[in-house]
Amino acid sequence: MVEHRSGSPYAEEAEASGPGAAGSTAEAGQVAGSDPDAQVAGSDPDARWLALLMHAAFFLLLGASLTRFLMRHPGEARTPWIIALSITLAVLYLLGPVLGSRPTPRRLAWLTVLVVVWMVLVVLAPSFAWCAVPLFYTGLRILPPRAALALVALLTVFVVAAQLRLADGFDPNLVLAPPAVAAVATAVFVHMQRQAVRQRELAARQRELIDDLLRTRRELAATERREGTLAERQRLSMEIHDTLAQGLSSQQMLLQAADRTWSADPDAARRHVRTATGIAERNLAEARRFVHDLAPADLAEGGGLEAALYALAARESAQAEGALTVHCHVEGTPHAPLPDRVQSALLRIAQGALANVREHSGASAAGLTLTHLGDRVVLDIGDNGRGFTAGPEGVRAARTVRGHGLPAMRARVRQLGGTLTIESAPGEGTVLSAEVPLTTTEDPT
């Protein structure tokens, strides 16, 4: 019976969907209670093709047995019964996968009817004995271990009896070969189930270890970020205390002393004021240093906003690896260096806009254009992406804008007294424009 092993309609569920049978151990019994649909859904294409081949082999075997009977016994009275039972067996077989692999009462009743129909067929036509192979695996899949082994033994007895009926005389090989083949097939099936159970348990442990590792890494990263934030806050607090706070305290004392001595000793009062002025100049320098340290890294390297935008465009193009090309262009010449807060805000807007282009637009090209217009500066970021239908203030009409990119840009521009506009249409790309006035914007540093 080894040559017909591939005809089992359920062997594919044992191999493609993982163990699902009740074998000779408790592990195999646990597999029988699993959900076969979920397992089959995760099977690979090769397993699905193998399942189709197995189903085809079963129906080919059933058809061959029926054909053999009709050819050798034409016109017999039992022929209609054989045909009807063959059709019934085929229909019952097709219902098996629909009922699942759990040993429910309905499933057990189906198996009982299937075995009884097959037994009647074997009694009427011994050639149908080869169809016992699918029943071996079906019993091993859904029955408890002892019941499954009892079913295999019963089916083997029927196969031996059928083979002896078909033989011309007694043949020891027909008596010994079917039990031996059934024992080997059962042992192989049970071994496969145990291996599959071990593999699933190993995969589950590996997933748990991976989840623990990822969770530990996230916790470590969060802890490092908190520690870094606290360390930076502590550093800034100490810097401010040792410089600005001490300087302001000294200024207060000097100005109070000048106020007390202004009438009695004007010269001493003026010396106190000049000293306080010197301290204020040093504190202003310290404050500017703080602002410089907290500015974007591209601006801190020197070169101003223009150099920072060129560096940003080159970096975005390099990171996209050909998927997105970013160009930068500067028009006009500023009459005076842009205030630090204007440079920082425009650079942050460019970074956020290019991030949106990279993640959402599907564009292959984008451009940064910085235009100096004397009393104002304009930064345009355009792309050739898919675009969108823009409603009031450039907000997507189809859905709410994800994240805080555009609101953050609009807040930065509003703090500088400027405006942010967005022009876009489906299939025509997007242009974001940030315009900042310079006459009413003062650098607080």
Side-chain angles (χ1 to χ4, degrees), residues 277-366:
T277 302
I279 295 175
E281 292 177 354
R282 288 194 298 272
N283 280 359
L284 181 59
E286 290 290 344
R288 286 173 173 168
R289 183 178 65 83
F290 288 150
V291 173
H292 182 271
D293 291 342
L294 296 176
D298 290 337
L299 292 177
E301 294 176 357
L305 178 61
E306 293 82 359
L309 292 176
Y310 278 111
L312 175 62
R315 184 167 60 251
E316 289 288 338
S317 299
Q319 292 176 353
E321 299 179 349
L324 176 65
T325 302
V326 182
H327 300 281
C328 182
H329 179 65
V330 177
E331 296 181 358
T333 303
H335 298 301
L338 295 177
D340 291 343
R341 64 194 301 240
V342 173
Q343 296 188 56
S344 178
L346 292 179
L347 180 59
R348 294 302 190 197
I349 290 172
Q351 291 172 340
L354 289 180
N356 287 341
V357 171
R358 182 177 63 253
E359 295 177 5
H360 307 299
S361 71
S364 60

Side-chain angles (χ1 to χ4, degrees), residues 62-74:
L62 182 62
S65 300
L66 180 59
T67 302
R68 181 181 185 276
F69 174 82
L70 295 177
M71 291 177 61
R72 296 199 177 190
H73 307 279

Side-chain angles (χ1 to χ4, degrees), residues 8-10 58-59 62 85-97 99 106-122 128 131-139 141-142 151 154-155:
S8 169
Y10 303 111
F58 169 78
F59 288 105
L62 182 62
L85 290 173
S86 299
I87 295 175
T88 303
L89 185 64
V91 173
L92 288 173
Y93 176 81
L94 290 174
L95 291 177
L99 297 176
R106 185 174 60 175
R107 180 73 165 167
L108 296 177
W110 167 83
L111 178 60
T112 302
V113 174
L114 188 69
V115 172
V116 170
V117 172
W118 173 82
M119 287 180 177
V120 174
L121 265 175
V122 173
F128 284 90
C131 295
V133 176
L135 302 182
F136 284 170
Y137 291 98
T138 303
R141 288 184 67 252
I142 67 176
L151 177 62
L154 177 63
L155 298 179

Side-chain angles (χ1 to χ4, degrees), residues 89-227:
L89 185 64
V91 173
L92 288 173
Y93 176 81
L94 290 174
L95 291 177
V98 177
L99 297 176
S101 65
R102 297 179 181 274
T104 60
R106 185 174 60 175
R107 180 73 165 167
L108 296 177
W110 167 83
L111 178 60
T112 302
V113 174
L114 188 69
V115 172
V116 170
V117 172
W118 173 82
M119 287 180 177
V120 174
L121 265 175
V122 173
V123 171
L124 296 177
S127 59
F128 284 90
W130 292 109
C131 295
V133 176
L135 302 182
F136 284 170
Y137 291 98
T138 303
L140 290 170
R141 288 184 67 252
I142 67 176
L143 292 177
R146 292 184 179 180
L149 294 178
L151 177 62
V152 170
L154 177 63
L155 298 179
T156 304
V157 170
F158 266 75
V159 171
V160 172
Q163 294 303 309
L164 290 176
R165 288 177 58 189
L166 293 173
D168 296 334
F170 178 78
D171 187 350
N173 187 51
L174 297 179
V175 178
L176 299 178
V181 173
V184 172
T186 301
V188 170
F189 182 82
V190 172
H191 175 73
M192 290 172 55
Q193 305 314 304
R194 290 180 177 179
Q195 290 297 108
V197 169
R198 293 191 185 100
Q199 290 177 0
R200 273 213 313 276
E201 292 177 348
L202 178 61
R205 287 196 294 268
Q206 289 177 345
R207 287 194 297 270
E208 291 176 358
L209 291 175
I210 293 174
D211 292 341
D212 291 341
L213 178 60
L214 293 176
R215 183 169 55 255
T216 302
R217 290 180 60 181
R218 288 193 296 267
E219 292 175 354
L220 179 60
T223 301
E224 290 178 349
R225 286 195 296 270
R226 288 195 297 270
E227 292 179 351

